[in-house]
Amino acid sequence: MKIEKIMNLSKKIAITAAVGFFVNLSFGQSVQEGVNYVDSQKYAKAKQNFTDLINQNPKDANNYFYLGNTYLTQFEPNFEQAQDNFNKGLAADPKSFLNKIGLATVKLGKGDKSAVAEIQQIVKDSKEKDAEVLYRAGEALTTFEKNSSPDLAITFLNKAIEKAQKGGVPANYYYSLGDAYRLKKDPGNAMSAYDKAELVAKNKASVYTRMGTLWIAAQQWQRAKENIDKAIAVDPTYAPAYKALAGFNIKYQKNAEATQNLINYTKYADEDPYTQLEIAKLYFTNEDYANAKTTLDSVFDKVDDPIKYRLRAYIQYGDGDYAGAQQNITTFLSKADKSRLQPSDEGLQGLIAAGLAKNEKDAAKKAQLESTAQQKIAIAKAAKDETLNWDEELAKVKGGITASSIDQGATSPAIEALKAKVAANAQDTDALYKLAQAYQEVKNWNGAILTWGKMAALLPDWAPAYYSQGYAYQQAGNNDMAKTSYEKFISLVKPAEVEANKQSLGYAHFFVAFMEKDSNPEKAKQNIAKSLEYEPTYPDAVNLQKALNK
């Protein structure tokens, strides 16, 4: 699953590091401290810093802008608090271009794309004399990915860089330029901008973290890890680097390592409730539902953002509490601004409906829930939403596969020992292989299905994992997912491996043919022919071929 899509409508393009504000020293050391806090994802300290500056000099409009901008750049933007501060800044100075840009950015974050033209006009009115105004205009146009304008942002940012040359270009000007190129899917120019930032940045950790996340986006895993490691080496207290490393390990299914990264991230960030909310999301992505729930519960009453209800709904869905999940996603939908709704919200409602349908006794209500499930999941799929694998999740729901369902299934001393071994090293494929087999031995098919799935995630080209998962799905009575797994197995068997896998290939093709015989007879005929090619005397395949050829 992709946590960026699960939770964030206005996803920051700098994937794991907050937008860095290493501003020109002419703004003063106190402002510098505040913007450094923002870059280090210490949002509570940043807010306090700028609030203190406002109290010291309430007539300085710029301080209201920086406080408001902190509310925009935190993980879940607080548009109301941001707007309130920008308005106060304009009350202090009605000509403040920065606060005008701030208000336009709020509109942009809420989905009002007319704000792009508004930002252009503000820049025009400023006569492009102030590098910081040009920079903030460019930054605003890269802050919200779905409502961005990267080409215009690049124009403003290059002008800001040119204007700032005499006094020295702040590193964050180059960061935002790199972020704009990332939006354009131009990693080469993005990396060039980050290279320039490295030359002037006082804290290289911020640069290396951005480089690492750029390599993650490009799926260049070794380079990603090298840069994140460099970030931690130059500044072991730089919180965003640990968040980036957690994201890296989550992609690699290294759950134990990711959990430790999140512990370090929590240690070096601060206790701002919205930061804790972000940590809860990451625990959820790491399939660490216990820590996700504990972290969310600790800040639930401290966070005003309705996003908390969406996250709780996902956690409850993951734990099989469909009634609770339904209540919370409904609350989220009733409270959230329409601009924050996503196709994944429809998909989640569909999965919840499917879960509720399983135990519904009333035939009419059950049919209605099942129809709702199909309709809403279709919406998410039509939008090409990849928050979850919707078909796979639906199959899991119908098969009753949840963490609690596995724990409630049969176990053995061998299973418990192997679970502990896997918890200590989630990348131990030998332990996972033995655990999957141990689950099969006691007929805990849900445990086997998910464990073979973890094997497949670590060794995506290893065909036997998919065959074994298909067998487990079949034994669990989930024939649709069994067919999907068997087809994946067939696609991965290399020519040199055919001889050793003839029997398995014969059965896999037979099963696919059997499942397709009514809906797609031609495909069934092709598969049964392949089945008999591998196993010419397989009786069930022979009989099915005769039936298909009648």
Side-chain angles (χ1 to χ4, degrees), residues 271-523:
E271 294 186 359
D272 182 83
Y274 289 89
T275 303
Q276 296 300 309
L277 185 65
E278 178 73 6
I279 293 167
K281 297 174 197 173
L282 291 168
Y283 275 127
F284 176 82
T285 308
N286 196 39
E287 299 179 4
D288 189 344
Y289 302 126
N291 271 325
K293 183 178 184 302
T294 299
T295 306
L296 178 62
D297 287 348
S298 72
V299 297
F300 197 82
D301 294 333
K302 301 175 184 177
V303 176
D304 295 327
D305 197 314
I307 202 79
K308 65 184 181 181
Y309 296 105
R310 181 197 272 163
L311 178 56
R312 180 165 276 178
Y314 270 98
I315 292 171
Q316 289 171 317
Y317 160 74
D319 201 35
D321 179 6
Y322 302 119
Q326 178 64 49
Q327 181 180 343
N328 277 289
I329 193 63
T330 300
T331 302
F332 167 74
L333 294 170
S334 69
K335 290 178 176 289
D337 188 279
K338 288 183 179 179
S339 65
R340 302 185 73 184
L341 305 186
Q342 302 176 6
S344 59
D345 295 323
E346 298 291 327
L348 178 59
Q349 290 177 82
L351 293 174
I352 292 168
L356 292 170
K358 283 198 314 172
N359 298 320
E360 179 56 60
K361 305 301 182 186
D362 184 286
K365 290 182 179 178
K366 186 180 185 74
Q368 181 60 46
L369 285 167
E370 289 176 343
S371 175
T372 298
Q374 294 294 339
Q375 291 171 10
K376 289 189 174 292
I377 288 172
I379 292 171
K381 290 171 63 178
K384 301 187 185 306
D385 184 278
E386 297 180 348
T387 301
L388 297 174
N389 183 322
W390 301 108
D391 289 331
E392 185 173 330
E393 288 296 322
L394 181 59
K396 287 179 184 178
V397 170
K398 289 182 175 180
I401 302 177
T402 63
S404 59
S405 74
I406 294 171
D407 292 339
Q408 290 167 11
T411 189
S412 68
I415 287 174
E416 297 306 316
L418 287 163
K419 281 169 64 179
K421 198 169 183 181
V422 169
N425 181 7
Q427 210 176 5
D428 187 341
T429 53
D430 181 64
L432 280 168
Y433 176 81
K434 291 176 180 176
L435 177 58
Q437 288 190 317
Y439 274 128
Q440 289 186 176
E441 287 173 6
V442 299
K443 295 182 170 53
N444 186 333
W445 301 116
N446 287 345
I449 288 165
L450 289 192
T451 307
W452 285 122
K454 289 180 179 181
M455 276 287 289
L458 289 173
L459 302 172
D461 296 326
W462 191 56
Y466 297 97
Y467 183 87
S468 297
Q469 189 180 49
Y471 175 78
Y473 269 124
Q474 189 180 347
Q475 294 302 312
N478 192 333
N479 288 339
D480 289 336
M481 285 306 297
K483 180 175 79 75
T484 299
S485 295
Y486 283 138
E487 286 181 319
K488 185 69 173 178
F489 162 71
I490 291 167
S491 72
L492 288 175
V493 175
K494 299 177 178 63
E497 299 168 345
V498 168
E499 190 63 33
N501 287 280
K502 272 190 171 183
Q503 186 175 0
S504 298
L505 284 165
Y507 183 77
H509 277 289
F510 163 75
F511 189 87
V512 173
F514 183 83
M515 292 296 294
E516 297 285 0
K517 63 183 175 61
D518 297 322
S519 60
N520 193 342
E522 286 305 312
K523 182 177 178 181

Side-chain angles (χ1 to χ4, degrees), residues 141-305:
L141 295 169
T142 65
T143 300
F144 305 107
E145 184 180 18
K146 289 188 176 181
N147 302 304
S148 61
S149 184
D151 288 319
L152 185 58
I154 289 166
T155 297
F156 288 153
L157 291 166
N158 278 323
K159 287 182 177 180
I161 289 167
E162 182 180 355
K163 185 74 67 177
Q165 288 290 343
K166 186 178 293 186
V169 180
N172 56 299
Y173 285 28
Y174 291 119
Y175 292 157
S176 287
L177 181 61
D179 295 344
Y181 278 117
R182 287 174 82 149
L183 279 171
K184 279 177 62 69
K185 311 295 184 188
D186 185 348
N189 276 319
M191 189 61 76
S192 294
Y194 295 152
D195 285 337
K196 291 176 182 176
E198 183 182 3
L199 297 175
V200 298
K202 292 189 175 181
N203 189 344
K204 309 287 186 191
S206 188
V207 184
Y208 296 139
T209 299
R210 276 180 168 77
M211 290 178 170
T213 61
L214 183 58
W215 286 121
I216 287 175
Q219 298 185 6
Q220 296 290 324
W221 310 115
Q222 184 175 347
R223 291 187 176 184
K225 182 68 161 52
E226 287 172 356
N227 277 279
I228 295 170
D229 286 345
K230 282 168 67 176
I232 293 171
V234 298
D235 184 357
T237 68
Y238 187 67
Y242 294 101
K243 183 171 181 283
L245 188 56
F248 176 88
N249 283 324
I250 287 170
K251 285 180 179 290
Y252 260 102
Q253 298 285 310
K254 296 182 180 178
N255 300 66
E257 289 93 330
T259 292
Q260 186 57 55
N261 300 149
L262 292 175
I263 290 170
N264 283 330
Y265 176 67
T266 305
K267 177 180 177 182
Y268 295 118
D270 63 20
E271 294 186 359
D272 182 83
Y274 289 89
T275 303
Q276 296 300 309
L277 185 65
E278 178 73 6
I279 293 167
K281 297 174 197 173
L282 291 168
Y283 275 127
F284 176 82
T285 308
N286 196 39
E287 299 179 4
D288 189 344
Y289 302 126
N291 271 325
K293 183 178 184 302
T294 299
T295 306
L296 178 62
D297 287 348
S298 72
V299 297
F300 197 82
D301 294 333
K302 301 175 184 177
V303 176
D304 295 327
D305 197 314

